[in-house]
Amino acid sequence: MVLRGFFLLRAICAILCENGYFNGYYFGAASALYVGLDHFKVPCYRYECCTVGEGRVHWIRNDVNKLEVLLREKLFGQEIAAKILGRQLGAYLLDPKPEKPFVVHISGKTGTGKNHISNLIAEARYAEGTSSKHILKVIGTHKYSSLDLEAAKKQLNKQVSEHVYKCKHALVIIDEAEKLPEGTLNAISPFLDKNVAIDGVDYRYTIFIFLSNSAGNAIRDYTLKQLEAGKNRGDITVLEMENLIQKHLYNAGELKHSSLISRYQLDAFIPLLPLEKRHVQLCAEAQIKQRRFKCGCKSDPSCISARAIEVANEVDYSGRFSTSGCKKIHTKANLVCPLERNTMKSSKSEL
């Protein structure tokens, strides 16, 4: 492509030089400019490409440092999840030649942070964050719930393969996986193994995230049992939660008797523990700090903390856990925070 462009430019310049418009110096400079611009992928300065690294033309960042900061500063009450993602996903992102895609199953009740974690991963992986065109999100209740098993498997296989074909550094999120017809996820099992390529598509650089509520009750009950026995949340280990989730999913969840488990294709089972009031308060503080006028606090830490307690008090609880996690924090904050009116002058007054 570059060579054809070079000779085309040379022919045009030769005609112009012959008629006195350019001399040899301009021809050489123009040729060098053409080759140089193509080398630096000019279209990627403006449009998102599947290019890895740092700098303006690289859109796949795989920024492990950013991932660690986001998990530390924006994920509350989920120490196990932060530990698994910080280490296992971090190692995967740093690997220039991974053997297989990174496949993770995230389980938890509503509001515990499933979609929030997916967004944090997207922010660390892509320059465009959650707006990246390299993200494919499949929702179990959208288009799939009405399909029979074979149709659902065919559609999922097609969606995933076509998306990863466009960019192997993709992020595939399957939300509400428990709502898919039982056995649907087996359709993408071949993509999750140590294969160099399948039908010309390389899946080794792709991250697969399965989000599900199916093990949420089991996680909640186990966590409550441990706390009532006098243990702290930090005493609950990765291994015991992984065994709990894996057993539940294989016997009753969306991975019932699935090859994804029997062939050990999942790299991690992440439990999202139910959130207590102190965690909801942390979510509220983060929400307040994002607001332009800080809920009337003007960045005063004690004021923000007091407002966050008010917001947390507006959330429903069942025993020691929030029934909706942090899901309703945004709307509850609207009840507590003063209305933030638009203080900008109208265009008419500025004229």
Side-chain angles (χ1 to χ4, degrees):
M1 179 67 183
V2 176
L3 196 59
R4 288 202 308 267
F6 174 81
F7 283 117
L8 177 61
L9 182 63
R10 181 176 179 177
I12 294 172
C13 285
I15 294 172
L16 294 174
C17 289
E18 191 174 333
N19 288 277
Y21 289 99
F22 292 106
N23 57 30
Y25 170 80
Y26 291 122
F27 165 66
S31 301
L33 179 62
Y34 176 85
V35 175
L37 289 178
D38 184 88
H39 174 74
F40 286 109
K41 305 180 185 300
V42 171
C44 295
Y45 273 95
R46 297 185 59 187
Y47 305 107
E48 187 179 20
C49 298
C50 189
T51 47
V52 183
E54 299 179 358
R56 188 174 175 183
V57 298
H58 297 111
W59 299 86
I60 316 296
R61 299 293 173 81
N62 290 334
D63 192 334
V64 175
N65 292 329
K66 185 174 183 178
L67 177 65
E68 292 174 346
V69 171
L70 291 172
L71 292 172
R72 183 172 61 251
E73 297 182 355
K74 295 192 175 184
L75 183 62
F76 308 111
Q78 305 297 356
E79 289 77 12
I80 293 178
K83 181 178 180 180
I84 293 173
L85 292 171
R87 295 184 182 181
Q88 288 186 246
L89 178 56
Y92 173 81
L93 295 177
L94 290 173
D95 189 350
K97 293 183 179 180
E99 292 185 342
K100 65 181 292 293
F102 185 78
V103 189
V104 59
H105 188 286
I106 304 178
S107 308
K109 298 285 284 182
T110 298
T112 51
K114 295 185 292 295
N115 281 289
H116 180 57
I117 288 175
S118 300
N119 292 339
L120 297 183
I121 293 172
E123 291 293 337
R125 185 163 172 80
Y126 302 116
E128 292 288 276
T130 56
S131 300
S132 173
K133 68 180 182 182
H134 303 313
I135 300 172
L136 170 66
K137 187 161 188 178
V138 176
I139 302 177
T141 54
H142 182 62
K143 296 182 180 180
Y144 283 89
S145 57
S146 61
L147 299 177
D148 61 44
L149 177 58
E150 290 308 312
K153 290 172 68 175
K154 184 177 180 180
Q155 180 163 312
L156 182 62
N157 183 293
K158 184 174 184 290
Q159 263 194 287
V160 172
S161 60
E162 287 181 351
H163 182 77
V164 180
Y165 175 77
K166 297 173 185 176
C167 178
K168 64 183 180 181
H169 299 277
L171 174 59
V172 178
I173 303 168
I174 301 181
D175 194 7
E176 297 185 346
E178 75 279 6
K179 303 292 177 63
L180 291 169
E182 185 179 309
T184 302
L185 293 177
N186 288 333
I188 60 172
S189 178
F191 305 160
L192 311 181
D193 270 331
K194 297 179 180 181
N195 298 310
V196 175
I198 299 175
D199 295 329
V201 182
D202 189 349
Y203 296 91
R204 293 174 298 168
Y205 299 85
T206 300
I207 297 174
F208 289 86
I209 303 177
F210 305 129
L211 307 178
S212 170
N213 293 321
S214 59
N217 287 332
I219 294 169
R220 182 188 185 282
D221 294 344
Y222 186 84
T223 303
L224 182 61
K225 182 179 179 181
Q226 299 306 305
L227 295 179
E228 289 178 342
K231 291 186 178 181
N232 297 317
R233 293 169 72 98
D235 297 328
I236 301 175
T237 67
V238 172
L239 182 59
E240 61 187 303
M241 294 306 296
E242 182 177 276
N243 290 335
L244 173 75
I245 297 170
Q246 189 168 329
K247 182 179 179 180
H248 176 85
L249 293 176
Y250 192 70
N251 292 323
E254 62 274 7
L255 295 177
K256 184 176 181 180
H257 305 304
S258 172
S259 59
L260 275 70
I261 292 181
S262 62
R263 294 171 66 177
Y264 303 100
Q265 293 179 321
L266 284 106
D267 298 290
F269 294 88
I270 296 182
L272 296 185
L273 277 54
L275 298 179
E276 301 172 48
K277 192 170 186 177
R278 58 194 174 99
H279 304 124
V280 176
Q281 184 179 333
L282 291 172
C283 291
E285 286 188 12
Q287 170 62 217
I288 291 170
K289 289 176 182 178
Q290 289 178 5
R291 299 194 169 210
R292 182 180 178 188
F293 298 109
K294 308 294 187 292
C295 203
C297 290
K298 299 180 180 179
S299 301
D300 178 5
S302 59
C303 176
I304 292 175
S305 179
R307 292 287 195 190
I309 292 173
E310 291 183 59
V311 174
N313 288 336
E314 294 290 338
V315 175
D316 293 328
Y317 297 87
S318 176
R320 64 194 302 165
F321 301 133
S322 166
T323 57
S324 58
C326 287
K327 196 175 185 71
K328 294 184 177 181
I329 286 300
H330 178 80
T331 54
K332 295 299 182 182
N334 291 336
L335 292 174
V336 173
C337 296
L339 187 62
E340 297 183 357
R341 299 182 184 277
N342 188 352
T343 57
M344 294 178 63
K345 295 181 180 179
S346 68
S347 58
K348 183 177 180 179
S349 65
E350 292 174 345
L351 296 175

